[in-house]
């Protein structure tokens, strides 16, 4: 499947916009992680949403801005290994007590498609939207689902991968040292990309069964999304012509990806 | 399930759930589910999945199919809302002084939204594309839409789809916080309805690409968002209408072609009223509609597969289930109160969830 990568959003420690990678201004190794406050949603909603949802909404809007797509019509796929561990922690702590009253807002935010809900409301978007999980291979699961939607719908599709830094007891289940959100706009191969687009990367994605040995032990579940962003920046800056990656999907499969810079654009 | 529907035997009973003080009715399996799930993957949700896989020879049929398929060509899409949060809740009651899980709750693959997909893939030995959809109460309807895309694009030759959600304190106290839990068995679309009854379930279906198939065809799938509110449906049902229209368009059918609609029909005042307005589009001489959550309870992330199976079975048996517990209707269409038997060719099933996520499916006699 050949598609275009036309927008990237990114938020983590020391890296809060894809332009940092494009301009090669360097990532400050001493930077503190800053919780995002996406301007795309009203302050009141931002407070109700919480960190995890705001992380997704921030990178989703960044990617759409870069791609110049219509936020009201783009379908979306959200993916995360552990979902909102801050809300899971809140709910499970409350429910372990004798007095079990839960906040209704926290409860409706606890569904794994909560960010999809806030995103679709903020963008006034009634297109299909989903959340897929694949544990430590969630980014691969999301990329497969999003790619398949690009082909099925024949329109750009937004992919958002995000996980929060973990604390006990989740940290011992899957250690995540820093919160990271990465979003991509994937566009059909022959789609005419708007002139404001900064990035057009050709992706040849081939699903394969069998192991790829690409998952590094202890890697962030969204590491392969971050790798894709880094590779795209290098191609965009002309440091490379072609780049290849294997991105693991759940169980034994992986996606074999060749990235190249689109010529003549 | 087929026998229960025919004999009018519902599954709701007065709640007797450990640590739960909210008076309500639940559609529960026996409190202690005895199965041979490994310690690594053990949870109530996975035990229920294990039981469902053994039903009707499903696991054996998948085993037989695997003899004929390249291992990478059989995919899996599971749907869930709660995943194994039942187990996470239990683990939080015995954290150690440092706030860590203690044995037997140190189960990395269980405390994740992907737990059901991971468990089923391992249990059935599925090596093709595999993931778990979690879009609240639309989850295991959306699995059909994803699987259909994979088959249409030749990524796989067959896909196991399924859904599983189990009763846990999160959902009872969560829906209670929204004042949506009924003290009585739920009465969808009844003028005096008082809210939802929760339930738990797991179910499966196998989809293959075969244009000459006999049996049941997934003829259309439609997905949409409300873009309105996290836990309240759009007042005019805009998103619900879109998902139904997209499913019908995908199937190439009109509302008047549909013999039976399985409504989302949760039994809350607002949801039924809004779905009623939207489904007035099925007010014709052919279509009958019913809500089956009075039989099963609202099984949340499993509701999609449960109600898809009920709708598909109607194509096989012609038995259209009534709306259990509801004796009066103000719905602007033919709401079926009692079971009806008649030949059935096309059915539609609605699933609408939090986050304003909607999915409608159309199944037809092949």
């Amino acid at each position: 499947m050949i598609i275009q990568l036309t927008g990237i959003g990114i938020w983590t420690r020391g890296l809060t916009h894809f332009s940092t990678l494009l301009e090669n201004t360097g990532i400050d190794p001493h930077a503190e992680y800053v919780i995002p406050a996406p301007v795309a949603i009203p302050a009141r909603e931002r407070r109700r949403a919480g960190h995890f949802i705001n992380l997704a909404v921030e990178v989703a809007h960044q990617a759409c801005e870069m791609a110049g797509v219509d936020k009201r019509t783009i379908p979306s796929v959200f993916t995360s290994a552990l979902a909102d561990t801050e809300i899971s922690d809140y709910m499970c702590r409350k429910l372990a007590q004798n007095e079990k009253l839960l906040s209704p807002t926290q409860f409706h935010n606890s569904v794994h498609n909560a960010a999809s809900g806030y995103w679709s409301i903020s963008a006034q978007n009634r297109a299909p939207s989903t959340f897929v999980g694949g544990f430590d291979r969630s980014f691969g699961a999301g990329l497969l689902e999003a790619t398949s939607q690009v082909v099925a719908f024949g329109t750009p599709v937004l992919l958002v991968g995000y996980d929060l830094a973990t604390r006990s007891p989740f940290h011992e289940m899957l250690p995540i040292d820093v919160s990271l959100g990465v979003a991509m706009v994937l566009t059909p191969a022959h789609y005419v990309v708007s002139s404001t687009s900064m990035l057009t990367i050709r992706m040849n994605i081939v699903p394969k069964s069998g192991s790829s040995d690409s998952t590094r032990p202890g890697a962030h579940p969204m590491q392969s999304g971050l790798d894709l962003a880094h590779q795209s920046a290098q191609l965009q800056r002309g440091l490379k012509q072609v780049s290849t990656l294997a991105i693991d999907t759940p169980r034994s499969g992986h996606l074999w990806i060749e990235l190249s810079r689109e010529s003549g654009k | 399930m087929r026998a229960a529907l025919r004999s009018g035997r519902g599954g709701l009973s007065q709640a007797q759930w450990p640590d739960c003080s909210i008076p309500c009715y639940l559609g529960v399996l026996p409190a202690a589910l005895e199965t041979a799930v490994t310690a690594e993957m053990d949870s109530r949700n996975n035990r229920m999945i294990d039981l469902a896989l053994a039903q009707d020879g499903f696991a054996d049929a998948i085993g037989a199919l695997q003899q004929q398929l390249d291992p990478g060509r059989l995919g899996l899409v599971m749907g869930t809302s709660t995943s194994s949060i039942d187990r996470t809740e239990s683990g939080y009651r015995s954290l150690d002084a440092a706030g860590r899980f203690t044995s037997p709750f140190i189960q990395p693959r269980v405390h994740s939204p992907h737990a059901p997909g991971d468990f089923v893939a391992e249990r059935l030995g599925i090596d093709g594309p595999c993931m778990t959809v979690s879009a609240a109460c639309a989850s295991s309807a959306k699995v059909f839409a994803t699987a259909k895309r994979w088959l249409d694009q030749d990524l796989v030759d067959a896909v196991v789809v399924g859904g599983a959600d189990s009763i846990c304190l999160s959902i009872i106290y969560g829906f209670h916080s929204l004042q949506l839990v009924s003290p009585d068995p739920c009465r969808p679309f009844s003028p005096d309805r008082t809210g939802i009854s929760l339930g738990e379930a797991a179910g499966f279906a196998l989809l293959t690409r075969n244009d000459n198939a006999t049996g049941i065809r997934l003829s259309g799938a439609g997905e949409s968002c409300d873009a309105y509110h996290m836990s309240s449906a759009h007042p005019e049902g805009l998103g619900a209408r879109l998902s139904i229209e997209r499913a019908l368009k995908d199937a190439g059918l009109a509302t008047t072609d549909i013999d039976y609609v399985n409504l989302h029909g949760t039994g809350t005042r607002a949801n039924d009223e809004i779905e009623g307005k939207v489904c007035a589009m099925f007010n014709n001489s052919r279509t009958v509609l019913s809500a089956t959550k009075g039989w099963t309870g609202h099984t949340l992330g499993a509701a999609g597969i449960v109600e898809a199976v009920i709708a598909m079975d109607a194509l096989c048996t012609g038995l259209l289930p009534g709306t259990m517990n509801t004796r009066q209707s103000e719905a602007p269409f033919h709401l079926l109160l009692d079971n009806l038997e008649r030949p059935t060719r096309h059915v539609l099933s609605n699933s609408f969830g939090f986050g304003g996520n909607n999915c409608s499916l159309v199944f037809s006699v092949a």
Side-chain angles (χ1 to χ4, degrees):
Chain A
M1 289 182 278
I2 294 175
I3 55 174
Q4 303 176 78
L5 172 52
T6 53
I8 294 179
I10 200 157
W11 192 280
T12 187
R13 182 169 53 210
L15 181 56
T16 56
H17 201 275
F18 182 65
S19 56
T20 305
L21 295 181
L22 275 185
E23 291 153 15
N24 194 31
T25 48
I27 299 166
D28 177 5
H30 306 295
E32 296 271 325
Y33 177 81
V34 181
I35 293 177
V39 292
I41 51 178
R44 199 176 66 96
E45 288 302 302
R46 230 165 29 226
R47 280 194 298 277
R48 288 163 66 93
H51 182 186
F52 186 63
I53 293 167
N54 282 325
L55 177 61
V57 171
E58 170 64 31
V59 293
H61 280 280
Q62 282 185 18
C64 289
E65 290 287 333
M66 178 183 277
V69 290
D70 186 350
K71 288 180 200 172
R72 291 167 305 173
T73 56
I74 186 170
S76 52
V77 175
F78 292 75
T79 186
S80 170
L82 295 180
D84 200 332
T85 45
E86 289 179 0
I87 287 189
S88 297
D89 185 73
Y90 160 81
M91 301 245 309
C92 291
R93 269 180 210 286
K94 282 277 183 190
L95 294 169
Q97 297 167 4
N98 288 332
E99 191 66 42
K100 299 190 198 307
L101 292 181
L102 295 176
S103 140
T105 301
Q106 293 291 304
F107 174 62
H108 72 50
N109 284 359
S110 75
V111 295
H112 299 323
N113 60 312
S116 144
Y118 278 85
W119 152 258
S120 62
I121 294 165
S122 74
Q124 277 301 292
N125 184 318
R126 296 196 173 87
S129 179
T130 195
F131 174 99
V132 297
F135 194 47
D136 55 346
R137 296 169 171 209
S138 287
F139 189 81
L143 183 57
L144 176 61
E145 176 63 11
T147 305
S148 154
Q149 290 195 9
V150 171
V151 175
F153 300 141
T155 67
V157 171
L158 171 66
L159 168 65
V160 183
Y162 54 126
D163 266 294
L164 295 181
T166 45
R167 288 184 296 195
S168 292
F170 293 103
H171 191 72
E172 294 77 35
M173 302 299 100
L174 187 65
I176 303 177
D177 293 326
V178 61
S179 300
L180 165 61
V182 54
M184 302 192 168
V185 173
L186 307 172
T187 300
H190 303 295
Y191 212 77
V192 179
V193 176
S194 97
S195 57
T196 56
S197 167
M198 295 207 283
L199 179 77
T200 306
I201 302 288
R202 192 179 129 107
M203 296 176 78
N204 187 12
I205 301 184
V206 185
K208 292 189 172 176
S209 52
S211 118
S212 76
D213 300 325
S214 71
T215 297
R216 281 160 275 167
H220 195 286
M222 296 301 144
Q223 183 62 44
S224 47
L226 189 59
D227 291 346
L228 252 179
H230 275 284
Q231 298 290 340
S232 301
Q234 293 203 352
L235 288 162
Q236 191 67 10
R237 292 168 57 206
L239 300 177
K240 277 183 174 180
Q241 293 306 310
V242 180
S243 186
T244 58
L245 288 98
I247 296 182
D248 280 333
T249 52
R251 289 288 283 184
S252 54
H254 64 276
L255 302 172
W256 179 249
I257 298 176
E258 289 172 21
L259 295 175
S260 60
R261 200 169 166 191
E262 195 75 337
S263 57
K265 298 229 172 184
Chain B
M1 188 179 78
R2 187 183 279 180
L5 288 177
R6 191 170 289 278
S7 62
R9 199 169 73 244
L12 296 181
S13 57
Q14 200 145 20
Q16 293 179 319
W17 193 259
D19 288 329
C20 171
S21 59
I22 294 169
C24 61
Y25 280 74
L26 298 172
V28 288
L29 295 163
L33 286 176
E34 299 299 335
T35 71
V37 176
T38 61
E40 185 190 6
M41 297 305 284
D42 196 16
S43 71
R44 181 174 184 83
N45 208 49
N46 284 349
R47 287 183 185 205
M48 208 172 51
I49 288 171
D50 198 53
L51 277 179
L53 285 172
Q55 293 284 308
D56 302 317
F58 187 81
D60 293 341
I62 299 303
L65 176 73
Q66 284 167 312
Q67 302 292 319
Q68 306 159 27
L69 285 183
D70 176 342
R73 299 287 293 178
L74 176 63
L76 169 70
V77 195
M78 278 298 285
T80 191
S81 184
T82 62
S83 188
S84 286
I85 197 77
D86 68 275
R87 193 69 173 171
T88 315
E89 284 177 9
S90 302
Y92 263 76
R93 279 181 228 122
S94 53
L95 297 178
D96 70 12
R100 296 171 302 202
F101 288 126
T102 55
S103 177
F105 301 106
I106 304 169
Q107 302 168 284
R109 294 165 63 196
V110 162
H111 304 291
S112 148
H114 182 48
D118 198 3
F119 176 63
V120 174
E122 178 174 278
R123 171 77 172 66
L124 297 179
I126 292 175
D127 285 333
C130 154
M131 59 186 66
T132 304
V133 172
S134 194
C137 305
S139 300
S140 61
K142 287 172 81 72
V143 298
F144 285 90
T146 288
K148 188 169 187 282
R149 287 189 282 268
W150 291 4
L151 287 164
D152 287 345
Q153 293 165 26
D154 199 26
L155 293 176
V156 289
D157 292 321
V159 190
V160 172
V161 296
D165 249 35
S166 41
I167 301 268
C168 53
L169 293 172
S170 297
I171 60 167
I172 302 175
Y173 282 89
F175 281 101
H176 177 67
S177 77
L178 292 167
Q179 301 179 308
L180 293 176
V181 176
S182 171
D184 314 312
C186 71
R187 299 185 291 276
F189 287 93
S190 179
D192 64 352
R193 62 190 178 272
T194 47
I196 67 171
S197 301
L198 291 160
E200 60 185 351
F204 292 92
L206 172 68
L207 303 181
T208 60
R209 188 182 334 93
N210 186 347
D211 295 335
N212 304 312
T214 53
I216 298 163
R217 193 159 49 87
L218 169 60
S219 41
E223 300 166 274
S224 73
C225 285
D226 276 6
Y228 176 72
H229 188 271
M230 276 301 294
S231 54
S232 304
H234 187 283
E236 299 305 317
L238 256 185
R241 182 181 300 277
L242 275 175
S243 82
I244 294 169
E245 287 171 353
R246 286 171 183 165
L248 288 171
K249 187 178 175 210
D250 193 34
L253 295 172
T255 51
T256 49
D257 294 320
I258 302 296
D259 295 291
Y260 169 68
V261 175
N262 188 296
L263 295 152
H264 186 56
T266 58
T268 69
R269 295 222 61 84
N271 285 7
D272 290 1
E273 187 187 336
I274 293 165
E275 190 179 13
K277 276 190 219 170
V278 172
C279 287
M281 70 167 86
F282 291 103
N283 187 20
N284 61 59
S285 59
R286 175 197 286 262
T287 315
V288 296
L289 305 87
S290 74
T292 47
K293 288 183 172 70
W295 299 76
T296 61
H298 189 354
T299 60
L300 307 180
I305 185 81
V306 166
E307 289 160 28
V309 168
I310 289 173
M312 285 190 276
D313 206 43
L315 296 173
C316 302
T317 63
L319 180 72
L320 308 177
T323 305
M324 182 168 272
N325 307 329
T326 299
R327 291 299 91 200
Q328 268 186 297
S329 161
E330 289 175 342
F333 45 70
H334 183 176
L335 183 78
L336 207 52
L337 298 180
D338 298 307
N339 288 359
L340 174 72
E341 223 166 324
R342 75 169 196 207
T344 300
R345 194 165 171 73
H346 301 291
V347 295
L348 182 141
S349 180
N350 281 337
S351 300
F352 308 140
F354 277 6
N357 212 301
N358 311 298
C359 184
S360 300
L361 302 169
V362 181
F363 298 98
S364 303
V365 174

